Amino acid sequence: MNNFVFNNQARVLFGKGQIANIADEIPEDSKILLIYGGGSIKLNGIYDQVIDAISEFEYHEFEGIEPNPSYEKCMKALEIIEENEIDFLLAVGGGSVVDAAKFIAAAAFFEGNDPWDILALNDEVFDAIPLGVVLTLPATGTEMNGNSVISRTEYKEKLAYTSPFVLPLFSVLDPQVIESLPKIQVGNGVVDAFVHVIEQYLTYPVDAKIQDRIAEGILLTLIEEGPKVLADQTNYDAGANIMWSSTMALNGLIGSGVPQDWTTHMIGHELTALHMVDHAQTLAIVLPGVMHVMKESKKDKIIQYAKRIWSIENNDEQKTIKEAIDRTIEFFESMGLKTRLKDYGIHVNSIDKIVDRMEARGDINIGEHKLVGIDEIRKVLDYRN
Ligand code: NZQ
Ligand code: ZN
C-alpha cells in the first residue's frame, strides 16, 4: 500500500427529513447565497424545505446554474456576493450546482488575474467562502470532496480542479430526492459512481486490501441496487444504498494509498465539451475502450474485477478480460446508457479533434503508468466504433 494522508471534514446528514436540520450547521449570523439550477427544486418541494430551514438567516438567491456549469454563469454570482457581503454559500442541486458553488467560493477570494486560471493554469486556491450542500442527485461525489469541474463556453473547454478549501462543511443526503429525478439521471448517477470506483480500482495491485474490498462492495451495491431504483424511484432503501455508494465512491477513502487512473474522465470531458454528451454517458462510451486498450498493464486487476464482481471463472486470461468488458457494457446499457460514439451521433472525425486538443493541452501520457498517449487515446475512442 502506498503512503497517504486521509482527511475529510464534510459532515454528512443522511436520511429522511435532514434538510430541516441545516440551520444548526451554518455559522451564526451568516449571510447566505442560495445557489441552485434550472428550477427542479421548485417543482419537487426541496426549495420550500430549504427556505423553511434557513428562514432565520439573511439570504439571497442565485439561480440558473446549467448542467455542466459554465464559468460565465459562475462569474455573475461574484457581484451579488460583493454587494450583499455574502459569507456562506448553500448549494442545492446536483453535481453541476455544487461544482459551480465551489468555483464561485474560490473565485470570490482569488487574487490573480482571472479565476479561470485556477482551472486552466492550476493556480492555487488559498481561501474560499465556506459552503454547505443539499444534494439532489446521487452521482458525482462532489458533496464530500474538493473537486469542481467547470466549462468555459466560449472556448469549448471543460476543466477540473481540486482544493481542500472548497470541501463542503456539511452535506445533506436525503434519498427521497431521487423520486423526482428524470429516469436518465438515475442511470447516469449509477454509472458515474461506478466509473469513479473503477478509476481508483482498475489499475495495478499494491496489496491494498481494504481499499479493494470497499471498492468491490460499492461496485456490487451499484449493480444490485441500481436496477431497483431505475424500476422504482420510490424504493427508499435501494435509493439510500445508491446515494451512499456514490458518496463513498469519490470521497477520498477508496483512492487513498492506491494508484489512480482518470483516463476515462479526461477523455470523457472532451466529449462533453465538444458534443454536450452527459458526463456519465461519456464515461459509458470511453471506459470499455480504456479497459481493452490498456488490458496488458491492467491485467491483474481486470482479472480480479472479473472474478470478484462478475463471478467469471475462466483459465483463459484474454477470454476473462473480454467477458469482463462485455459485462460492464451490458450493465451500462441496462441502466439506460448507450456505449458507442455513433449512438450519440458523434462522427469519427471527432476523434482526431479530441486527440489534438488533449495533446495541445498536455493531457497526454496519462493513467496510472502514464502510458496513455496519443495513439492509445485514438484507439480508445475507436474501440467498437
Ligand atoms: O438544473 P436543475 O433544475 O437542478 O435540474 C437538474 C439537471 O437538469 C436535474 N436534477 C437534479 N436533481 C434533481 C433534478 N431533477 C429532478 N429532481 C431532482 N432531484 O438533473 C439534471 C442534471 O443535473 P447535474 O447536476 O448536471 O448532474 P450531475 O449530478 O450528474 O452532475 C454532473 C456534473 O458534475 C461533474 C460533471 O462533469 C458534470 O459537470 N462532475 C463532478 C465531479 C466532482 N465534483 O467530484 C466528479 C464527476 O466525475 C463529474 O465530473
Ligand atoms: Zn464522473
Side-chain angles (χ1 to χ4, degrees):
M1 194 186 304
N2 302 334
N3 286 7
F4 65 87
V5 173
F6 175 70
N7 177 37
N8 197 314
Q9 69 171 17
R11 271 164 67 81
V12 172
L13 283 72
F14 192 98
K16 284 182 191 172
Q18 289 280 24
I19 295 173
N21 299 325
I22 55 180
D24 294 342
E25 305 295 326
I26 300 172
E28 226 175 299
D29 299 327
S30 290
K31 290 184 181 170
I32 302 172
L33 185 64
L34 179 64
I35 300 176
Y36 55 98
S40 64
I41 62 167
K42 290 199 170 152
L43 300 174
N44 57 20
I46 295 173
Y47 175 85
D48 292 338
Q49 290 181 56
V50 170
I51 296 297
D52 279 353
I54 61 170
S55 58
E56 301 291 309
F57 290 88
E58 176 181 331
Y59 68 88
H60 302 262
E61 300 189 25
F62 186 69
E63 64 181 302
I65 302 291
E66 327 86 326
N68 306 305
S70 74
Y71 158 87
E72 289 86 349
K73 177 77 189 180
C74 290
M75 292 301 282
K76 292 189 181 140
L78 298 183
E79 277 166 43
I80 305 177
I81 288 174
E82 202 174 305
E83 256 170 43
N84 300 289
E85 297 175 339
I86 298 292
D87 52 17
F88 194 85
L89 305 185
L90 183 60
V92 184
S96 294
V97 168
V98 179
D99 283 9
K102 288 174 170 179
F103 181 67
I104 294 165
F109 283 176
F110 185 70
E111 288 184 354
N113 185 29
D114 178 347
W116 178 247
D117 294 345
I118 297 170
L119 298 141
L121 304 177
N122 290 323
D123 274 9
E124 207 173 324
V125 172
F126 292 105
D127 206 356
I129 303 177
L131 70 136
V133 169
V134 175
L135 190 74
T136 66
L137 196 174
T140 60
T142 188
E143 64 277 8
M144 205 177 174
N145 69 39
N147 307 338
S148 166
V149 191
I150 302 294
S151 298
R152 186 141 181 183
T153 316
E154 61 172 323
Y155 302 159
K156 287 203 168 180
E157 292 273 27
K158 181 173 189 184
L159 302 175
Y161 79 96
T162 300
S163 163
F165 289 104
V166 297
L167 229 158
L169 284 190
F170 67 86
S171 283
V172 176
L173 309 183
D174 179 345
Q176 294 174 117
V177 299
I178 293 170
E179 289 180 16
S180 64
L181 282 174
K183 223 175 200 22
I184 182 70
Q185 298 300 345
V186 176
N188 279 354
V190 170
V191 170
D192 192 18
F194 192 93
V195 181
H196 291 159
V197 177
I198 293 286
E199 298 268 31
Q200 302 162 89
Y201 168 81
L202 215 57
T203 57
Y204 56 89
V206 292
D207 202 22
K209 296 208 162 83
I210 291 288
Q211 292 88 326
D212 275 9
R213 289 193 165 114
I214 297 174
E216 287 154 0
I218 299 170
L219 294 176
L220 289 167
T221 305
L222 291 167
I223 292 166
E224 208 170 274
E225 305 296 296
K228 291 185 196 164
V229 182
L230 203 61
D232 176 8
Q233 290 174 223
T234 64
N235 182 338
Y236 178 85
D237 292 327
N241 281 301
I242 288 299
M243 198 161 212
W244 191 223
S245 294
S246 46
T247 303
M248 290 295 286
L250 198 52
N251 66 358
L253 185 66
I254 63 166
S256 295
V258 299
Q260 301 193 14
D261 184 351
W262 298 106
T263 297
T264 301
H265 271 70
M266 289 179 79
I267 301 176
H269 286 173
E270 297 298 314
L271 289 171
T272 301
L274 287 174
H275 300 289
M276 290 311 289
V277 179
D278 285 359
H279 172 65
Q281 294 170 337
T282 71
L283 308 177
I285 297 168
V286 177
L287 178 68
V290 171
M291 290 174 73
H292 173 73
V293 175
M294 303 312 293
K295 64 183 172 187
E296 283 312 312
S297 64
K298 290 181 181 293
K299 190 162 72 186
D300 293 343
K301 286 306 275 290
I302 298 185
I303 289 170
Q304 179 177 326
Y305 165 75
K307 284 188 180 153
R308 295 193 188 174
I309 303 302
W310 299 111
S311 307
I312 300 167
E313 293 294 344
N314 193 325
N315 290 331
D316 183 328
E317 286 186 343
Q318 291 305 320
K319 278 193 185 148
T320 302
I321 292 171
K322 171 79 172 61
E323 208 180 319
I325 297 173
D326 289 347
R327 297 292 294 274
T328 307
I329 292 169
E330 266 170 41
F331 176 60
F332 292 167
E333 300 254 350
S334 78
M335 294 306 298
L337 282 79
K338 299 279 184 222
T339 52
R340 291 174 196 257
L341 279 181
K342 57 175 164 260
D343 295 328
Y344 298 89
I346 299 173
H347 194 267
V348 63
N349 291 347
S350 191
I351 296 179
D352 280 337
K353 201 168 181 182
I354 291 174
V355 172
D356 290 349
R357 280 161 57 99
M358 290 183 73
E359 189 181 11
R361 209 186 295 119
D363 284 347
I364 48 169
N365 303 328
I366 52 178
E368 66 273 18
H369 291 297
K370 304 202 184 308
L371 286 176
V372 184
I374 297 170
D375 286 348
E376 288 74 20
I377 296 171
R378 188 172 281 116
K379 282 183 196 152
V380 163
L381 286 164
D382 225 8
Y383 180 65
R384 296 169 73 243
N385 181 36

